[in-house]
C-alpha cells in the first residue's frame, strides 16, 4: 500500500524525523487559512497524488503569501495531474499539502528498503537529491552510496557515520545524520514498511535534516496487524475495482486492450500476458485467480471482463493445481455467463487437475467455449477472435 | 537421485490439525510420503490422521526422528513456526504459508544465519521428487520420475512446466518451489548447486519472474561455474503492467528493480538458455540435451 506524502510525513514526524510545518487542505480557502497560521515568508503548495516527478509536472508551487497559496490551491484542486510516472490521464488532485517553504543549504536523496539477497534493510543515499535523481545516476552524473543497516537486533553507528562522510556531509552534521538513519530504520520496522523514500532530504541553516518530500510503502501482508495504517487506505478512482477484487481473492489490473485475460496464479498470468503481446494481441487486463478463490469469487472476476465494453474476446488459461482444480474456474465462468447475456468468444485452455471434469461442467452450464489443446493455440485463437470481431452483434 | 528429499525423509507438519494441514497431509500420505507426526501447540498428546501430535518441534524430532518439517501455519504465526524449527535444528523446513510479512522474514533469515537448516519458501508449493517424496500442495498426476531438475518461483507455471517436461519424454529428478516472495529461504543459486551435485540430474530448468534478485544471483553463479549440463530459464513478466513492476528511483537506478529484460540479459550472458515461449520449455530442454549429447 502506497501512502500519500502528507500521510507519510504524519507518520514520520512523531518518530523523530523533521518535516516542514504544514497541513493538508481540500479547499482553496482552507489552504489560505493554513498558510495564514504558518509563521513563514514562503509557502509550498503540493498536489497530493501517489506518483513521483510532481515538481516537473507543475504539481508543486512555491509562493510567498496566503493569497498566492489560495490561488495555487485553486488551480491544482479538482484537476488531473499527469507526470512522467502516471498514465497520460493523470490522477485527480483532491488535496494539497500547504507547508512552510524550506530553504535548504544542501539537498540529499535517502531511501530505505529491504535487499532481497541479504534480507537486510539497506539505506541508499546520494549527495544531491531531487526529482531527476534517477536520470542523473543512470547517466553517471550522480552516484548512490549504499549501506546495509543490519537486522532487527543491531545498528552500526560507526558505519552510519561512514555513510555520512561518503556523502560529503560536514563533520558537525554526522551525529544528527546517524540519529536520523536510526530513527528511519526504527520507523521502517514499526510501520512494516517496504520502502521509505525521502527525496529531497534538506540540510537547513541551523544544521537540521528536514524531509522535504516523503513516500512510504507499507507491506500489504502486514496490514492485518497495522489497523491504524489500514485506516489510511483510500479506495481512490483507479484502484477501487482493484481493491474490490482483492477481497475476492483475485488480482486485477486494468489495461487498455480488447482481450480479457484470466489465469490461475500470477506466474501463469504473466506468462499469458507475455504470449498475447508476442502474438500481437492487446490485453484488456491482467487478472490472476489466487488459490483461495471460490467459484463465486471467480464469477465476480469474469463479470468484470464481460461488463467491459472494450473486451472483444476472453482468454482463460488454467493449469489446475493441488489447491485449485480446473472445475472451480469453470463453475465461476458458467455462473458469470448465465448472468450476462453477451456472446463473446471465450477461448479456454484447461490442463492439470480436473481439466476433464471442468469440460463437463461447461457443458452442464450450457457454456459455449472454444476449447484449445495448448497455451499458444489458445492465445493465437483469442487474438484472432478479438481482431476479427467474431461473435460481435 | 533427488535433492533435498529422499526415501529416508521423515516429515512432520507444523499446523497439521488445521484444515489445510489436514487436507494436504492426507494427500501426501496417500502419495507415500513418510509423515511421522504433527505439531500443534496445545494439542500435544492427541492423535490426528492416526499420527501423534506434539507441542513443540523439538519434542516431535526427539520422538519421531523427523528430519523435515512442513509449515502450514497462518501468516501471523508462520515466522515463529519457521524460527522454532530452525532453532530445533530441523535439517529441512518447507514453508507453504502465503502472505508472510516482510519484517517477519527479516527475522527468519537472521535466524538462518546461525544454523544449518535449509528453508524452502515461504509461499512455496513444496518439493516433489516423483515416486519418492512429496512435501507440499502440488498435484502429482503429470509428474514423472526422471533426470530434469526444476526450480521455480511460481506455482501455476510449475504445474505447466512439469507437464511439458513429462510430455517431452523427460521426467523430473526433483521439483523445488522456492517460493514466490522476494524474501525467502533457499535461492535459485544454491538450488542449482544442489542439482549440480546430483549425478542423475542432466538438466535444470529455472522458472523466474519480475522482482527479487534470484535470477541475477543465478546468472552470476552460472557464469562462474559454467555447468556441464544445460540450464534453461523461463522468465515471465516482460509485458507486466507497470503497477506490477515494483520500483522507486533507487531500485531502478541501481538495477535492483528486477525487470524481466535485465534478468534475461544477465542469464543469457552467463550461458543460460532462455525458453522464449512459455509453452515450449519442455521442448527447449529436450533440444538442449540433444545438443549437449
Amino acid at each position: 500500500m502506497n501512502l500519500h506524502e502528507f500521510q507519510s510525513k504524519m507518520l514520520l514526524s512523531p518518530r523523530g524525523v523533521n518535516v516542514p510545518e504544514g497541513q493538508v487542505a481540500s479547499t482553496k480557502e482552507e489552504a489560505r487559512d493554513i498558510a495564514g497560521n504558518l509563521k513563514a515568508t514562503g509557502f509550498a503548495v503540493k498536489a497530493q497524488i501517489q506518483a513521483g516527478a510532481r515538481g516537473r509536472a507543475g504539481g508543486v508551487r512555491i509562493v510567498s503569501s496566503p493569497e498566492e497559496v489560495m490561488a495555487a490551491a485553486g488551480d491544482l484542486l479538482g484537476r488531473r495531474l499527469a507526470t512522467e510516472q502516471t498514465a497520460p490521464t493523470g490522477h485527480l488532485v483532491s488535496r494539497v499539502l500547504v507547508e512552510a517553504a524550506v530553504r535548504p543549504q544542501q539537498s540529499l536523496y535517502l531511501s530505505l528498503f529491504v535487499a532481497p539477497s541479504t534480507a537486510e534493510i539497506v539505506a541508499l543515499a546520494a549527495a544531491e537529491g531531487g526529482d531527476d535523481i534517477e536520470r542523473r545516476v543512470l547517466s553517471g552524473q550522480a552516484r548512490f552510496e549504499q549501506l546495509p543497516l543490519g537486522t532487527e537486533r543491531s545498528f552500526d553507528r560507526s558505519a552510519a557515520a561512514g555513510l555520512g562522510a561518503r556523502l560529503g556531509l560536514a563533520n558537525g552534521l554526522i551525529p544528527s545524520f546517524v540519529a536520523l538513519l536510526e530513527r528511519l530504520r526504527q520507523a521502517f520496522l514499526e510501520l512494516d514498511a517496504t520502502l521509505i523514500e525521502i527525496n529531497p532530504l534538506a540540510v537547513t541553516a541551523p544544521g537540521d535534516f528536514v524531509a522535504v518530500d516523503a513516500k512510504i510503502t507499507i507491506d500489504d501482508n502486514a496490514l492485518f496487524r497495522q489497523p491504524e495504517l489500514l485506516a489510511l487506505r483510500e479506495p481512490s478512482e483507479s484502484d477501487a475495482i482493484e481493491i474490490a477484487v482483492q477481497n475476492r481473492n483475485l488480482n486485477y489490473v486494468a489495461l487498455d486492450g480488447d482481450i480479457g485475460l484470466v489465469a490461475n496464479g500470477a506466474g501463469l498470468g504473466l506468462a499469458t500476458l507475455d504470449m498475447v503481446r508476442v502474438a500481437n494481441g492487446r490485453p484488456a487486463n491482467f487478472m490472476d485467480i489466487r488459490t483461495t478463490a471460490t467459484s463465486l469469487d471467480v464469477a465476480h472476476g469474469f463479470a468484470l471482463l464481460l461488463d467491459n465494453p472494450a473486451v472483444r474476446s476472453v482468454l482463460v488459461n488454467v493449469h489446475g493445481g493441488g489447491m485449485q482444480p480446473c472445475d472451480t474456474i469453470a463453475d465461476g465462468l458458467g455462473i458469470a455467463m448465465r448472468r450476462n447475456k453477451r456472446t463473446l468468444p471465450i477461448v479456454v485452455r484447461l490442463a492439470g487437475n480436473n481439466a476433464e471434469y471442468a469440460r463437463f461442467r461447461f457443458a452442464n452450464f450450457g457454456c459455449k467455449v472454444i476449447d484449445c489443446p495448448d497455451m499458444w493455440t489458445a492465445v493465437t485463437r483469442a487474438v484472432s477472435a478479438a481482431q476479427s470481431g467474431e461473435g460481435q452483434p | 537421485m533427488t535433492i533435498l528429499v529422499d526415501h529416508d525423509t521423515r516429515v512432520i507438519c507444523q499446523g497439521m490439525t488445521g484444515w489445510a494441514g489436514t487436507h494436504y497431509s492426507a494427500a501426501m500420505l496417500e502419495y507415500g510420503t513418510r509423515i511421522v507426526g504433527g505439531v500443534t501447540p496445545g494439542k500435544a498428546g492427541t492423535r490426528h490422521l492416526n499420527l501423534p501430535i506434539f507441542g513443540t518441534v523439538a519434542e516431535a524430532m526427539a520422538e519421531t526422528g523427523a528430519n523435515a518439517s512442513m509449515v502450514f501455519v497462518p501468516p501471523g504465526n508462520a515466522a515463529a513456526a519457521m524460527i522454532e524449527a530452525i532453532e530445533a535444528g530441523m535439517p529441512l523446513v518447507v514453508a507453504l504459508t502465503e502472505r508472510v510479512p516482510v519484517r517477519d522474514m527479516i527475522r527468519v533469515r537472521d535466524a538462518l544465519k546461525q544454523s544449518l537448516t535449509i528453508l524452502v519458501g515461504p509461499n512455496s508449493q513444496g518439493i516433489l521428487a516423483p515416486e519418492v517424496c512429496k512435501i507440499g500442495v502440488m498435484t502429482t498426476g503429470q509428474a514423472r520420475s526422471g533426470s530434469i531438475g526444476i526450480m521455480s518461483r511460481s506455482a501455476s507455471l510449475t504445474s505447466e512446466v512439469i507437464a511439458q517436461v513429462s510430455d517431452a519424454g523427460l521426467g523430473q529428478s526433483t521439483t523445488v518451489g522456492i517460493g514466490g516472495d522476494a524474501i525467502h529461504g533457499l535461492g535459485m543459486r544454491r538450488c542449482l548447486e544442489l542439482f549440480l551435485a546430483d549425478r542423475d540430474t542432466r538438466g535444470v530448468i529455472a522458472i523466474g519472474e519480475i522482482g527479487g534478485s534470484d535470477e541475477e544471483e543465478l546468472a552470476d553463479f552460472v557464469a562462474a561455474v559454467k555447468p556441464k549440463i544445460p540450464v534453461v530459464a523461463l522468465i515471465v513478466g516482460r509485458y507486466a503492467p507497470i503497477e506490477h513492476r515494483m520500483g522507486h528511483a533507487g531500485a531502478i537506478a541501481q538495477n535492483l528493480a528486477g525487470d524481466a529484460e535485465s534478468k534475461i540479459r544477465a542469464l543469457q550472458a552467463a550461458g543460460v538458455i532462455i525458453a522464449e515461449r512459455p509453452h515450449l520449455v519442455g521442448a527447449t530442454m529436450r533440444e538442449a540435451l540433444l545438443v549437449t549429447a
Side-chain angles (χ1 to χ4, degrees):
Chain A
M1 177 177 79
N2 292 322
L3 298 178
H4 282 290
E5 176 190 7
F6 76 93
Q7 295 171 326
S8 303
K9 286 177 169 173
M10 192 181 75
L11 293 168
L12 290 176
S13 174
R15 290 176 171 80
V17 178
N18 295 326
V19 302
E21 219 186 323
Q23 268 185 54
V24 72
S26 44
T27 66
K28 55 185 179 178
E29 292 77 14
E30 221 182 314
R32 179 198 55 203
D33 296 347
I34 291 166
N37 289 328
L38 290 173
K39 287 171 189 58
T41 51
F43 305 93
V45 183
K46 308 175 83 179
Q48 296 300 289
I49 60 167
Q50 286 179 359
R54 287 172 304 167
R56 282 200 302 280
V60 177
R61 311 284 171 82
I62 305 296
V63 295
S64 54
S65 72
E67 284 64 40
E68 287 173 18
V69 167
M70 184 158 117
D75 184 39
L76 288 169
L77 286 166
R79 82 168 192 172
R80 301 190 70 86
L81 184 67
T83 81
E84 289 165 15
Q85 296 181 18
T86 67
T89 48
H91 291 226
L92 179 69
V93 181
S94 56
R95 271 166 310 201
V96 292
L97 179 60
V98 180
E99 289 182 333
V102 176
R103 290 190 176 79
Q105 296 198 314
Q106 189 183 350
S107 290
L108 312 172
Y109 170 93
L110 179 62
S111 65
L112 275 70
F113 58 92
V114 183
S117 54
T118 58
E120 288 190 346
I121 302 172
V122 171
L124 196 67
E128 213 181 310
D131 256 9
D132 56 345
I133 179 74
E134 185 183 330
R135 197 173 317 160
R136 283 187 289 112
V137 168
L138 289 174
S139 67
Q141 292 166 277
R143 204 160 82 87
F144 276 129
E145 299 288 344
Q146 201 169 319
L147 178 73
L149 296 180
T151 57
E152 266 185 74
R153 291 173 294 129
S154 57
F155 180 74
D156 185 342
R157 285 195 179 76
S158 63
L163 176 64
R166 296 211 301 276
L167 292 169
L169 293 175
N171 278 344
L173 288 171
I174 301 273
S176 50
F177 181 71
V178 172
L180 172 69
L181 276 182
E182 189 162 11
R183 285 174 192 147
L184 283 172
R185 178 176 167 282
Q186 191 56 35
F188 192 95
L189 292 166
E190 271 176 32
L191 296 170
D192 267 308
T194 55
L195 170 71
I196 297 181
E197 186 174 35
I198 299 179
N199 182 29
L201 171 65
V203 184
T204 58
D208 281 332
F209 288 93
V210 179
V212 176
D213 193 0
K215 171 179 168 185
I216 298 180
T217 305
I218 305 292
D219 182 1
D220 287 330
N221 292 345
L223 287 173
F224 72 89
R225 63 182 177 207
Q226 297 280 5
E228 286 165 31
L229 300 180
L230 188 58
L232 298 177
R233 170 175 270 182
E234 299 176 350
S236 67
E237 34 165 355
S238 62
D239 51 25
I241 292 178
E242 287 164 32
I243 289 176
V245 300
Q246 268 170 27
N247 295 332
R248 297 223 170 236
N249 297 304
L250 309 168
N251 291 316
Y252 176 89
V253 181
L255 301 169
D256 56 5
D258 53 15
I259 303 172
L261 295 188
V262 184
N264 64 326
L268 193 62
L270 290 174
T272 309
L273 191 71
D274 287 354
M275 285 190 288
V276 168
R277 290 290 300 273
V278 168
N280 293 318
R282 294 166 49 239
N285 66 277
F286 170 85
M287 185 160 98
D288 101 67
I289 300 170
R290 302 165 67 108
T291 47
T292 43
T294 64
S295 53
L296 284 176
D297 291 332
V298 176
H300 183 83
F302 276 114
L304 278 177
L305 307 194
L306 297 173
D307 289 344
N308 178 355
V311 168
R312 287 156 65 91
S313 72
V314 173
L315 170 59
V316 183
N317 187 9
V318 175
H319 200 116
M323 298 181 82
Q324 191 177 55
C326 288
D327 54 290
T328 306
I329 289 153
D331 284 352
L333 181 58
I335 294 165
M337 285 177 75
R338 275 199 178 169
R339 288 176 181 170
N340 191 304
K341 295 294 164 229
R342 261 181 106 183
T343 53
L344 283 172
I346 311 274
V347 181
V348 303
R349 194 294 299 240
L350 300 164
N353 200 6
N354 285 3
E356 266 322 305
Y357 182 52
R359 291 189 180 94
F360 173 76
R361 298 294 305 161
F362 277 134
N364 264 8
F365 269 103
C367 289
K368 287 197 176 54
V369 296
I370 302 164
D371 192 356
C372 294
D374 66 81
M375 297 200 287
W376 184 246
T377 310
V379 165
T380 50
R381 187 71 185 81
V383 171
S384 68
Q387 285 169 354
S388 68
E390 89 184 52
Q392 301 287 323
Chain B
M1 285 275 286
T2 56
I3 67 164
L4 297 169
V5 294
D6 57 28
H7 284 291
D8 296 324
T9 301
R10 298 164 68 84
V11 185
I12 55 163
C13 176
Q14 291 174 259
M16 187 162 81
T17 53
W19 179 87
T22 304
H23 182 81
Y24 294 105
S25 294
M28 282 161 58
L29 285 166
E30 199 179 317
Y31 192 70
T33 302
R34 290 167 70 188
I35 304 185
V36 293
V39 176
T40 303
K43 292 196 179 170
T46 63
R47 289 183 76 80
H48 191 69
L49 297 176
N50 206 24
L51 291 166
I53 299 296
F54 301 92
T56 66
V57 173
E59 274 169 33
M61 284 177 77
E63 294 295 322
T64 65
N67 52 17
S69 177
M70 170 170 82
V71 178
F72 235 137
V73 173
N77 300 320
M82 287 182 243
I83 291 170
E84 188 196 341
I86 291 164
E87 287 176 347
M90 184 62 85
L92 175 66
V93 178
V94 183
L96 307 172
T97 310
E98 291 179 38
R99 314 204 68 174
V100 179
V102 169
R103 188 177 75 190
D104 297 7
M105 282 312 297
I106 294 176
R107 270 188 212 138
V108 171
R109 286 278 298 264
D110 201 24
L112 279 171
K113 279 177 195 162
Q114 300 102 36
S115 99
L116 295 174
T117 297
I118 293 179
L119 170 70
V120 174
N123 192 9
S124 161
Q125 76 272 38
I127 302 173
L128 175 62
E131 293 160 35
V132 176
C133 180
K134 163 184 157 170
I135 303 178
V137 301
M138 67 263 276
T139 49
T140 53
Q142 289 164 299
R144 301 284 176 271
S145 173
S147 59
I148 304 301
I150 300 177
M151 50 192 187
S152 172
R153 291 177 54 199
S154 156
S156 53
L157 270 178
T158 306
S159 314
E160 176 66 34
V161 170
I162 285 176
Q164 287 181 21
V165 168
S166 297
D167 288 349
L170 306 163
Q172 305 88 44
S173 61
T174 311
T175 296
V176 184
I178 67 164
D181 296 348
I183 299 176
H184 53 193
L186 181 77
M188 283 187 176
R189 180 208 149 104
R190 176 83 183 110
C191 195
L192 177 60
E193 231 175 321
L194 296 174
F195 277 127
L196 294 180
D198 171 35
R199 273 176 310 165
D200 298 332
T201 297
R202 291 172 47 227
V204 177
I205 296 173
I207 305 170
E209 58 189 37
I210 45 177
S213 60
D214 269 284
E215 297 81 1
E216 287 82 352
E217 287 160 34
L218 176 68
D220 288 347
F221 180 69
V222 169
V225 305
K226 300 187 173 49
K228 291 188 180 61
I229 60 173
V231 180
V232 169
L234 168 66
I235 307 297
V236 298
R238 252 189 239 215
Y239 297 99
I242 200 100
E243 289 83 351
H244 275 241
R245 300 180 205 157
M246 48 159 269
H248 57 288
I252 293 162
Q254 288 292 84
N255 202 13
L256 294 169
D259 68 278
E261 293 295 344
S262 74
K263 285 177 190 287
I264 289 168
R265 272 199 305 275
L267 289 165
Q268 230 156 9
V272 172
I273 301 157
I274 301 297
E276 291 290 343
R277 301 289 169 82
H279 64 293
L280 294 177
V281 182
T284 305
M285 177 52 87
R286 190 176 49 198
E287 277 167 39
L289 286 172
L290 289 174
V291 172
T292 323

